[in-house]
Structure formats: structure tokens, C-alpha cells
Amino acid sequence: MTYQGLLHRYGQYLGLPAHTKTITLLEGNTPLIPMPRLSRGFGCELFIKFEGLNPTGSFKDRGMTAAIGEAVGRGVQTVICASTGNTAASAAAYAARAGLRSIVLIPEGKVAAGKLAGAIAYGAEVIQIQGSFDDALTLVVEITQKTPIALVNSINPYRIEGQKTSSFEICDVLGNAPDWLCLPVGNAGNITSYWAGFKQYKKGLPQILGVQAAGAAPLVLGHPVEKPETIATAIRIGKPARGEQALEAAQESNGRIIAVSDEEILSAQRILASEGVWVEPASAAGLAGLIAESAKGSMNVKGKKVVVVCTGHGMKDPSIVTESFKSPKIIPANYDALLNVIGGA
Ligand code: AN7
């Protein structure tokens, strides 16, 4: 039978109320891409779980099919979220699918072009906040406590349920859990979901490496960051809602949460692209973390299976790439000019 989406495939493993409706864009079922060159470099078997290939270009669709389906089932008419961009686009798409009104709050000027455009295209009411993601989250929590508007940030437990499905898929493809799972950490919903999913699926447990951006690393510093800053705007978050659970996941799995610089993130983004996988900056943090830890000798992955989760597609944030390159050369439309500019084969 053709693929029918995550609730159809894994619904029996998810703690969702009976009233949950199936609102799907056939999310999930993303490829686990072998990376032969990177594998040789590390002496391990490395795979990218490419979550950028979900319908709206990020892993958020896994949680949104569950959260929006639940909201529709209990008669909700309007949903709201705070977002660094990907949650906004995903909420907007699933709300559109379900015929709901969606409102998204984003930090002014700090959302990548592909995400903002997505949210607008899917018909969300987009509101910019003169403040951070954390300020926006505080506002949506308050309004959903005082009105019937439903919250679809990952504080919503059904988001976590839906996002567990990625760990199930990894186990189903590999036969078992990998030895290590490396992923970016922002508001800390995803690391919480993976750990819950691996524990539930009983196909072994990976060690988890959670990676924050150095300018937005509350879980590494041990305190909230008032003014988070990073080019990886997706994870520009100073007060993660599920910070405690993220630390628990790292500790219980015998892994850790570390921080990497923006330069390390951009370098990892280039490395992935050089093997044909273009991800947005935040999504390269997992690989940046793996590179940093291996270089320090504090993570031995020799002969191990390592999955690096790439959470969002490169097309979400085109300007980060185009702005760091010189504009393509312009030549007259003739053969000699072409030959001259390419200088032979
Ligand atoms: C590409 O969209 O928080 O640790 O509002 O977009 O579960 O928050 C996005 C987060 C990693 C971090 N990679 O995941 C939002 C938002 C990408 C992301 C994360 C995000 P969490």
C-alpha cells in the first residue's frame, strides 16, 4: 500500500487522544542517507537523517500532524505558535490543510526568508515581535491560557508524540538504534522526542550529542541567555521550554550537550553540501558537534553507527549562502566568451 503518513504508520505507538483526526501531508518517511566520504573520515558508519525532506522542509511536520489533528478533533478553530520560522511554516501548512485559522509570532527580522515566505504562503497571520523567540513564546503561552486558541509549540505534548516517529524510522531502517545520535538543540523539543522514542521502541539506545550554538547555549552555560545570537536563527533560543528534559536525555544516554561556534556551523554546512546534502545552518550543528568532539578525542566513533539529524532544508535560508559568495560572472552570449571564462575542461 502507498505511504499514508505518520499517524497511519505509527499512530499505535503515539499517546494521542481518541478524538485525534488525521491531518496529513504525508510527512515523515524521510531518507537515512549514507555518507561514504564522511564515514571514511571518521572511521565510522555515518548517516544523515534528512528531515529537510518533510513537506514543509523541516522535522516540525512530524509533530504538527499530531498537534493539529488533536486540536481539530476537539473543535479548536484557531491555533497559535511562537517560532524561529520552521514551526510557523509547519503550523500554517497543517492548519491550512485542516481549515483552521493560524497565527504565528516571530522575532522581528530574525526569521530566514524561506520560512517567512512559507508561513505567508500557507495563509498564516504573521506577527513580528519586537523581542526574541523567548518573548514570543511567553506571549503565546499567556494568550492560550486565557482564550480558546490552541498552542502548537512543543510545550504541547502531542508535538513530542509525533516527533518520536523519527527515532522509530531510524530503528526500522537500521534494524537497531545507532550508537550515537547527533542533533541541534533549540527549544529542546526534538531531543526530548528522540530520547522518548528510542526508549519506547526498545531497539537499543543511542548516546545522544545535543548541539547548541555558542551564542545561544543556555543548556551548556547552565543559565538562560537573555540575548541569544547566532547565524543559525532556527536555534536562536535563550530559554528552552524543555531544557530539563534535554539535559536528562543527554545524561541518561551517557551523551552530552555541547556548544559550537557559528564558524563551525557554517563549515559543517559546507561539508554536507559538498556531499550533496544542503541543509540550513542550524541543521548542520549536529555534524559540527561531531567534528568538534572527535577532534578533541572526547568522542570515539570508530567502527560505530552514527546518525546525524539534519532538521531543515538549505532552501529555508538561501541568503546565508548567496551572501557569502561573489555573484556569478556575467558574459556576452557567445561561445568564445564562454570558453574564455571557463578556461577549458
Ligand atoms: C532547523 O521553528 O524552535 O530543540 O520555532 O528549526 O526541538 O527546538 C525551530 C527549532 C533545530 C531545534 N533545527 O529544535 C521554531 C523552532 C531546526 C529548527 C531546531 C529548530 P528544538
Side-chain angles (χ1 to χ4, degrees), residues 58-60 82-88 115 133 153-154 163 184-191 234-235 237 280 282-283 311-312:
S58 87
F59 72 99
K60 304 287 183 182
S83 180
T84 58
N86 279 325
T87 301
K115 304 175 188 181
F133 166 85
N153 279 102
S154 62
Q163 286 175 207
V185 177
N187 211 27
N190 212 27
I191 188 171
I235 52 173
I237 294 174
E280 66 167 284
S283 297
T311 42

Side-chain angles (χ1 to χ4, degrees), residues 253-324:
S253 76
N254 198 22
R256 70 199 79 121
I257 297 181
I258 63 160
V260 293
S261 68
D262 282 1
E263 291 69 38
E264 290 175 294
I265 287 174
L266 291 174
S267 163
Q269 186 192 30
R270 281 192 291 271
I271 292 170
L272 287 164
S274 75
E275 283 211 49
V277 179
W278 181 30
V279 308
E280 66 167 284
S283 297
L287 179 64
L290 173 62
I291 292 171
E293 288 296 280
S294 311
K296 278 198 302 185
S298 46
M299 195 171 152
N300 182 10
V301 293
K302 290 257 178 306
K304 303 270 173 70
K305 269 192 189 139
V306 180
V307 170
V308 172
V309 182
C310 289
T311 42
H313 203 287
M315 285 189 273
K316 290 280 192 167
D317 195 353
S319 53
I320 202 89
V321 176
T322 50
E323 280 166 16
S324 66

Side-chain angles (χ1 to χ4, degrees), residues 102-145:
S102 65
I103 305 168
V104 306
L105 271 59
I106 59 173
E108 183 187 9
K110 297 290 183 183
V111 168
K115 304 175 188 181
L116 182 56
I120 296 168
Y122 298 124
E125 293 162 45
V126 180
I127 302 168
Q128 299 200 69
I129 298 296
Q130 294 173 325
S132 64
F133 166 85
D134 306 285
D135 297 324
L137 187 60
T138 304
L139 280 171
V140 298
V141 167
E142 185 176 353
I143 204 160
T144 52
Q145 281 165 350

